[in-house]
Amino acid sequence: MKSLLWMLIALLRFLYQSIHLALAQIWANKTRSFLTMLGIIIGVASVTAVIAALSGLKAKILTQVETFGTNMIWISPRQPERGPMRHANFWELRFKLQHFEGLMDHCPSIARFGKQSSGGRQTVSHRDQSAEGVRVNGSEQACHEIEGRTFMLGRPFSVMDEMQARQVCIIDSKLRDTLRLDRDCINQKILIGHNPFIIVGVFDPKPHSPFGEGDSEDHEISIPFRTNLKLRHEPWIWSIAESASSEASEDALAELRFFFRRTRGIKPGEPDTFKVESLKNALDTFDKISAMVTTVASGIVGISLLVGGVGIMNIMLVSVSERTREIGLRKAVGARRSAILTQFLIESVVLCTLGGLLGIGLAQLLTMGIAKIPNAQLDMSYIPWWAMTIACVFSAVVGVFFGMFPAIKAARLDPIEALRHE
Amino acid sequence: MPISPNSPTSSTGRTRVVIQLRDVTRVYQVGTEQIRALDGVTLALHENEYIAIMGQSGSGKSTLMNLIGCLDRATSGSYHLDGKNTTEMADAALAQVRNERIGFVFQSFELLSQLNAIRNVELPLIYAKDGWRSRRKRAIESLEHVGLGKRVKHKPNQLSGGEKQRVAIARALVCKPSILLADEPTGNLDTRTSAGIMKLFDTLYAEGQTIIMVTHEENIAAHARRVIRMRDGRVISDLPIEQDATSQHLSSESDRGTES
């Protein structure tokens, strides 16, 4: 036991000395070492930065999940990849009101469900103030609940608003500011297009969704679903739903799919002409895409590391050749082959790992840079610890792999020949 | 001229045999040609001997030196060092023998320029079995032993030639070797510095160190107690220094005789 401990201490001392020696050697040839490491540095930095960006994007999406909850489900038309509807345009694929009839009865895993329809982009005005291109949506009351909208003022739509298709609206707080309405603007009248509407509520601007259309500069106005139907003959309809629990999410998707296939009259064997998508689904899709991007990036980096590794090998061969006499001397004073091999391997590993660390440093700078790109959704980019670990381990592996040949060459040198070397 | 390689002409027949070479040959293959660098050398060297191996270049003295230093293996014959047969040893075992029993001193010092004196002297200890035990202390002691106690932190380029060779000698002695093996130790030094180094060798010998040196300078060889002369891979004379001087005198006289 005690001797084992001594051996461990001896090994640690040996490692310490070898690394110290390797660092001294690298420091003695600063420029050369740096240029050699450049391949590794750039390779590691680029892949780490890509991973950082993806991680940031995912973190961003996860915050959305926290806002919406994983139970939320989007239902919208989609062009199938095959079948008779392959070339149909979106208007042919649109949802009609009858497609939704009896949904709550047939889908027991759905807790809430609401239809939305597009009222287009319209000019909204109040006295002499107006805002153009305001997104108008006809929404059933449930939609606001599912989306978890918070009301700053007023109330959501009531059943009566919906039933009677009243001309009432809920605006977001940014629109209120743009139209210079009073802070408490409830019951004030505004014009949407040419139709007068009464404001019943003000909600917070919609959180910026990475999948949803529109950007944060958009104004938003919500009117009852039926009011929109009354004003526009046949608007574009979609819907959102919420499953009873996240465990029921899969069931809910299956039930919705079954229900819509029937109501939309899709024959067995034909593909869906719509999609039902949960945030969880979308997250899975994102994971797949990000895995793909990571794989591609890793491939590119693999090549870059290969090139870097060849550079390392080259410089190590030069080093072995330059230090032939040193190797001869070390052998003369008792260094075994394994000791020489280890010395040069450690040197190449230290060189590569140093390159890897510098690469991570560079990646950190890059990450800080991309986080500042406006509207790129990358403000939460960060380098995950596993990426740093992998970068270091990978660099070290490159060091072992490409340092092996020069190290073997050094270890095999004949001490007499080596000492005679000029 | 009496040629009896193993005759008890060695200075001290009483002491332990450190090196025993029996009919050692070393053949190099150069292209299709075979070169017999050593051709049947039989030698016995004892503890605390001070030996000079002399000969012109190509005489086989360097080959003999490499062989004694366990840097090379004999093609045939046997070599016992401290009673152990090194002929059949594996590379790793030979490395250990070099580390523990042989201290090398080279003509061009072979110090590592990036390391200071202590670190250079520590080098053999890195490869020694328990070399990490009080490594620094042992290195400093060794440097003090060769009279460099005050220049331990200097790097080779801050040292004079003589000092460099002293560092090299300290390095050679740090593992307390059976033999100090010096190859032209004063070859790169001026006369005055050479004298200093030779004085150090004399002191070490007086302290009981076995010393073997290869040289072609008669005045350096004169410090030794026994002189082995080689020609064409063979030992042509192996005499105590006093007899060697006489025979040299005679042979040079006879040379002159034949010339005239």
Side-chain angles (χ1 to χ4, degrees):
Chain A
M1 190 62 207
K2 201 178 168 189
S3 64
L4 203 73
L5 194 73
W6 280 124
M7 265 172 72
L8 193 73
I9 292 172
L11 184 76
L12 284 177
R13 284 183 64 114
F14 173 74
L15 275 179
Y16 166 76
Q17 283 194 333
S18 305
I19 291 168
H20 185 87
L21 194 71
L23 285 173
Q25 200 66 41
I26 290 164
W27 189 246
N29 302 301
K30 285 179 279 292
T31 320
R32 189 168 90 184
S33 305
F34 178 73
L35 290 175
T36 309
M37 286 188 289
L38 212 53
I40 306 270
I41 294 174
I42 292 171
V44 166
S46 51
V47 82
T48 313
V50 168
I51 289 172
L54 286 172
S55 308
L57 212 51
K58 184 159 185 194
K60 189 88 180 170
I61 291 167
L62 284 172
T63 52
Q64 299 291 320
V65 174
E66 274 168 31
T67 332
F68 292 127
T70 36
N71 301 350
M72 195 166 161
I73 297 166
W74 284 272
I75 301 145
S76 55
R78 183 178 60 180
Q79 216 172 25
E81 285 168 2
R82 54 188 177 83
M85 302 304 275
R86 190 170 64 235
H87 299 299
N89 62 35
F90 272 98
W91 189 246
E92 290 173 68
L93 297 173
R94 73 189 183 278
F95 272 104
K96 295 171 187 160
L97 281 180
Q98 62 263 31
H99 293 160
F100 298 99
E101 272 163 24
L103 187 142
M104 289 307 280
D105 300 331
H106 288 90
C107 301
S109 302
I110 298 293
R112 281 188 287 209
F113 166 77
K115 293 191 282 293
Q116 283 187 309
S117 59
S118 169
R121 286 180 182 268
Q122 303 211 25
T123 304
V124 179
S125 53
H126 172 71
R127 295 193 187 127
D128 54 342
Q129 296 294 327
S130 69
E132 283 176 29
V134 178
R135 209 145 39 84
V136 180
N137 285 332
S139 303
E140 288 181 329
Q141 183 217 349
C143 294
H144 294 150
E145 290 171 16
I146 295 168
E147 283 179 340
R149 304 299 292 259
T150 47
F151 284 78
M152 298 167 75
L153 285 170
R155 58 170 177 84
F157 295 135
S158 68
V159 179
M160 293 308 284
D161 292 337
E162 185 65 41
M163 296 279 281
Q164 299 177 359
R166 285 177 179 166
Q167 296 204 335
V168 293
C169 66
I170 301 167
I171 62 172
D172 75 9
S173 53
K174 281 191 299 187
L175 183 61
R176 178 189 62 186
D177 301 340
T178 310
L179 292 177
R180 305 229 181 121
L181 291 159
D182 298 337
R183 270 206 77 74
D184 182 3
C185 55
I186 302 302
N187 290 329
Q188 286 190 317
K189 208 174 272 180
I190 57 172
L191 287 176
I192 301 177
H194 301 292
N195 302 308
F197 277 79
I198 292 167
I199 300 169
V200 293
V202 177
F203 51 34
D204 287 321
K206 202 173 192 170
H208 199 177
S209 157
F211 328 114
E213 81 283 9
D215 58 71
S216 47
E217 301 304 311
D218 258 7
H219 294 310
E220 193 195 1
I221 197 158
S222 200
I223 61 174
F225 185 74
R226 287 215 186 168
T227 314
N228 195 36
L229 284 189
K230 190 183 75 181
L231 294 174
R232 313 199 121 219
H233 174 56
E234 214 180 351
W236 180 257
I237 298 173
W238 70 94
S239 64
I240 55 177
E242 190 180 59
S243 57
S245 64
S246 44
E247 292 80 45
S249 174
E250 292 296 313
D251 287 344
L253 290 177
E255 287 164 12
L256 285 172
R257 217 181 131 227
F258 183 78
F259 175 78
F260 284 119
R261 279 185 73 89
R262 192 168 55 76
T263 58
R264 284 167 70 91
I266 300 167
K267 294 189 185 78
E270 282 179 16
D272 295 349
T273 56
F274 60 91
K275 63 180 174 191
V276 283
E277 218 180 9
S278 69
L279 201 47
K280 199 161 158 279
N281 251 354
L283 209 60
D284 291 346
T285 313
F286 176 80
D287 272 346
K288 267 184 216 157
I289 293 169
S290 90
M292 212 169 68
V293 172
T294 309
T295 313
V296 171
S298 306
I300 294 165
V301 160
I303 294 166
S304 147
L305 284 184
L306 193 79
V307 173
V310 171
I312 297 275
M313 180 151 76
N314 185 32
I315 222 69
M316 289 310 293
L317 283 172
V318 170
S319 181
V320 168
S321 160
E322 276 179 356
R323 287 152 70 193
T324 302
R325 283 182 86 96
E326 175 188 330
I327 295 163
L329 173 82
R330 284 178 183 271
K331 287 201 151 187
V333 300
R336 297 169 186 212
R337 280 183 183 197
S338 55
I340 302 289
L341 185 90
T342 322
Q343 184 194 335
F344 279 89
L345 261 190
I346 286 178
E347 194 172 317
S348 117
V349 168
V350 167
L351 195 63
C352 286
T353 311
L354 206 62
L357 289 174
L358 287 175
I360 291 171
L362 184 61
Q364 184 61 49
L365 292 177
L366 283 175
T367 306
M368 279 150 68
I370 58 172
K372 291 206 169 69
I373 301 173
N375 289 329
Q377 304 282 334
L378 292 170
D379 52 306
M380 288 175 82
S381 296
Y382 71 101
I383 304 175
W385 64 268
W386 57 264
M388 296 195 201
T389 316
I390 288 178
C392 287
V393 170
F394 224 80
S395 309
V397 168
V398 166
V400 172
F401 188 79
F402 288 97
M404 193 54 93
F405 173 62
I408 288 175
K409 206 176 164 211
R412 281 205 183 143
L413 280 175
D414 175 48
I416 301 168
E417 290 292 324
L419 279 168
R420 226 181 269 154
H421 184 88
E422 287 305 319
Chain B
M1 189 189 297
I3 303 169
S4 52
N6 220 11
S7 65
T9 48
S10 49
S11 48
T12 45
R14 306 174 297 281
T15 50
R16 192 168 61 89
V17 174
V18 184
I19 288 172
Q20 178 72 62
L21 296 169
R22 282 201 188 88
D23 197 24
V24 168
T25 60
R26 179 69 176 90
V27 182
Y28 292 109
Q29 190 81 34
V30 181
T32 52
E33 210 180 335
Q34 283 195 333
I35 295 171
R36 300 181 80 82
L38 286 181
D39 192 2
V41 173
T42 301
L43 273 179
L45 310 181
H46 299 75
E47 198 172 18
N48 195 21
E49 272 200 291
Y50 191 174
I51 296 152
I53 301 176
M54 298 199 68
Q56 288 162 338
S57 59
S59 61
K61 64 180 196 300
S62 293
T63 309
L64 181 62
M65 166 103 183
N66 289 336
L67 215 98
I68 290 174
C70 292
L71 290 167
D72 198 3
R73 282 198 192 81
T75 313
S76 68
S78 71
Y79 168 25
H80 287 77
L81 174 62
D82 285 337
K84 280 184 191 156
N85 188 356
T86 65
T87 324
E88 303 296 320
M89 278 187 185
D91 279 357
L94 274 185
Q96 195 182 337
V97 168
R98 287 199 292 273
N99 183 255
E100 290 172 355
R101 297 176 194 274
I102 294 161
F104 287 95
V105 176
F106 301 95
Q107 179 174 359
S108 44
F109 325 132
E110 305 298 344
L111 300 178
L112 301 188
S113 56
Q114 73 270 29
L115 305 181
N116 66 22
I118 293 186
R119 293 230 175 253
N120 264 295
V121 174
E122 281 178 348
L123 207 58
L125 294 172
I126 291 175
Y127 303 112
K129 252 183 184 167
D130 58 351
W132 48 270
R133 272 183 217 273
S134 54
R135 182 183 294 174
R136 203 175 177 77
K137 193 168 141 258
R138 283 156 77 178
I140 292 172
E141 277 171 6
S142 199
L143 278 164
E144 282 167 349
H145 196 175
V146 299
L148 274 182
K150 286 189 177 145
R151 299 182 71 78
V152 296
K153 292 271 172 76
H154 290 62
K155 288 197 170 176
N157 58 8
Q158 298 165 308
L159 297 170
S160 71
E163 285 170 330
K164 282 184 203 169
Q165 194 59 300
R166 278 170 199 267
V167 173
I169 293 167
R171 179 180 65 195
L173 294 174
V174 76
C175 282
K176 308 245 179 291
S178 311
I179 324 160
L180 185 65
L181 207 51
D183 186 3
E184 304 276 9
T186 59
N188 278 6
L189 302 175
D190 59 44
T191 323
R192 205 172 55 84
T193 323
S194 296
I197 294 294
M198 290 326 291
K199 205 173 159 207
L200 174 60
F201 272 42
D202 293 343
T203 315
L204 293 174
Y205 169 64
E207 288 166 1
Q209 180 67 49
T210 312
I211 300 171
I212 303 172
M213 62 181 178
V214 171
T215 180
H216 64 273
E217 290 177 71
E218 295 290 347
N219 61 327
I220 296 298
H223 285 261
R225 296 293 180 272
R226 175 181 166 190
V227 181
I228 298 171
R229 289 178 188 275
M230 299 193 62
R231 186 185 292 160
D232 300 332
R234 292 168 184 273
V235 175
I236 54 167
S237 98
D238 179 359
L239 297 167
I241 187 74
E242 305 82 14
Q243 293 180 30
D244 181 77
T246 330
S247 76
Q248 276 307 100
H249 185 66
L250 290 173
S251 74
S252 55
E253 290 234 315
S254 68
D255 282 352
R256 241 175 275 146
T258 48
E259 273 166 28
S260 56

